[in-house]
Amino acid sequence: MGLRKPPLYDVHADAGATFTEFGGWDMPVEYDSIKAEHAAVRESVGIFDVSHMSEIEVSGPDATALMQRLTTNDVTALEPGDSQYSAIVNDEGVIVDDTVVYRLPDRDERVYLFVPNAGHDEEMYDRWTSFRDDWDLDATVEDVTEDWAMFAVQGPDALDSVTDAAPDAALGDLSKFQATFADVAGVECWVARTGYTGEDGFELLCPWADAETVWAALEATPCGLGSRDTLRLEMGYLLSGQDFDPETEPRTPYEAGIGFVVDLDTEFVGRDALERRREAGVEETFVGFALLDRGVPRHGYDIANSDGEVIGVVTSGTMSPTLSEPIGLGYVPVEYADDETEVSVLVRGREKRAVIVTPPFIN
């Protein structure tokens, strides 16, 4: 089976983008350079095509109950136009995926849209429908991944960019994690003040067929997934498949540093396991680190203590374009997690001195 393509694949190719496989999709990784695109987002505004992200819509009389039982945060706290970051865990409390849950305007009943990671739409659709049927809940679950294109406009000038394209929408009134439907260049879009870069920004969902109209209306530097990765890494944000994975990197929200999305006052799959884990405490935890020696940390490299004993593993690493310093993320025992703790990273078999840093790496 071939790779899936975003609706603007040809537009990106014509703009000189290079492509990479990600989550089963053929996506632009860079246009000019990762460094230039990274700087555009930190200093002005960039736009990412993130149409590879999954979208699942849940509606019906029992939509809230279904969402509540399958995500760790408190869905009942959401009003129309609100969203929340959350986790999806298995019976053992291990993260299957992280997601943003939006409550859309009501259509007779409550309607939710949640955004799993790329390539997870079929898995999440099956998970939701299976549990719905097992629990005999009255809810409609639809995989709408290829109904919606999704763009992220990020950076200090993001508000100006989206306001110019949607002058009648008062998008500046949206607080972080709020969303609304808005007319963008004559196209109705779901516009949320969310993002994955650490900068102010908006994520827009528009009909697949109208993607080019919306993309063209947004004045911003086109950016690929390469700079999206370096931007999120500077903030210490998790990447599915690297910083957690139920098979290769099984971690609970408490280990992964997102315990704040777990509401134990609600009932959900994996709740009891997470309550036990919280009471017992974790043995390993997610940390950032900065290399003091030359080298670039990469996924899978070992982390060692001052005696040379391997104590952990790098899950993400890069040369920070903002700091011009090598930085990374990974898991270490809690006794090594304090800031300024000296460790080393084995870069191609050679020890490179490093210190623990609590993300974000930049202000």
Side-chain angles (χ1 to χ4, degrees), residues 62-363:
D62 294 329
T64 301
L66 183 58
M67 293 299 300
Q68 189 73 73
R69 294 189 196 182
L70 290 176
T71 60
T72 61
N73 215 330
D74 184 8
V75 174
T76 65
L78 296 176
E79 298 293 335
D82 288 344
S83 64
Q84 63 185 198
Y85 181 47
S86 193
I88 301 160
V89 301
N90 62 21
D91 288 334
E92 289 74 43
V94 169
I95 304 170
V96 176
D97 207 353
D98 62 347
T99 188
V100 173
V101 179
Y102 298 101
R103 182 175 168 188
L104 302 180
D106 293 347
R107 299 196 298 258
D108 296 327
E109 298 125 350
R110 293 188 179 186
V111 184
Y112 299 93
L113 181 75
F114 72 100
V115 182
N117 282 284
H120 291 184
D121 50 323
E122 183 177 350
E123 176 189 358
M124 291 302 130
Y125 174 82
D126 290 345
R127 182 177 181 85
W128 254 248
T129 54
S130 176
F131 277 107
R132 176 200 62 190
D133 296 344
D134 288 347
W135 295 329
D136 196 25
L137 296 177
D138 185 1
T140 300
V141 180
E142 299 177 87
D143 182 352
V144 293
T145 301
E146 295 191 20
D147 292 349
W148 294 102
M150 187 174 181
F151 307 133
V153 182
Q154 302 283 295
D157 298 329
L159 177 59
D160 291 339
S161 178
V162 296
T163 298
D164 289 346
D168 299 327
L171 296 176
D173 293 342
L174 292 177
S175 299
K176 192 171 183 180
F177 279 89
Q178 286 190 323
T180 187
F181 278 109
D183 184 304
V184 179
V187 177
E188 186 178 54
C189 300
W190 181 246
V191 183
R193 204 157 196 171
T194 50
Y196 189 53
T197 65
E199 300 294 337
D200 188 20
F202 298 82
E203 292 177 314
L204 298 86
L205 286 89
C206 68
W208 190 272
D210 296 317
E212 188 168 358
T213 298
V214 174
W215 178 269
L218 295 162
E219 291 290 334
T221 299
C223 300
L225 297 187
S227 58
R228 190 168 184 255
D229 189 53
T230 56
L231 289 157
R232 69 92 193 169
L233 212 155
E234 288 183 343
M235 298 304 298
Y237 294 157
L238 297 169
L239 177 62
S240 173
Q242 283 193 194
D243 300 315
F244 67 86
D245 184 280
E247 301 298 328
T248 62
E249 193 63 62
R251 299 291 177 176
T252 68
Y254 296 125
E255 291 173 299
I258 58 169
F260 60 89
V261 305
V262 178
D263 189 334
L264 293 176
D265 291 330
T266 66
E267 292 293 332
F268 57 85
V269 171
R271 179 210 170 277
D272 293 347
L274 287 179
E275 183 175 43
R276 291 192 297 270
R277 181 61 62 91
R278 188 185 70 170
E279 291 174 352
V282 299
E283 295 181 359
E284 295 184 332
T285 190
F286 193 57
V287 297
F289 61 85
L291 251 60
L292 303 178
D293 295 329
R294 293 182 62 183
V296 180
R298 298 298 186 193
H299 174 77
Y301 287 1
D302 287 333
I303 302 172
N305 62 17
S306 56
D307 295 326
E309 176 189 1
V310 174
I311 58 170
V313 65
V314 176
T315 54
S316 293
T318 193
M319 176 65 71
S320 163
T322 302
L323 302 173
S324 298
E325 296 176 0
I327 61 173
L329 304 168
Y331 291 92
V332 298
V334 292
E335 58 265 31
Y336 293 97
D338 292 339
D339 278 358
E340 301 301 323
T341 299
E342 295 182 1
V343 295
S344 62
V345 176
L346 277 65
V347 178
R348 298 180 180 177
R350 297 184 177 182
E351 288 192 9
K352 303 291 183 176
R353 294 176 304 132
V355 293
I356 300 298
V357 177
T358 299
F361 293 93
I362 62 171
N363 294 323

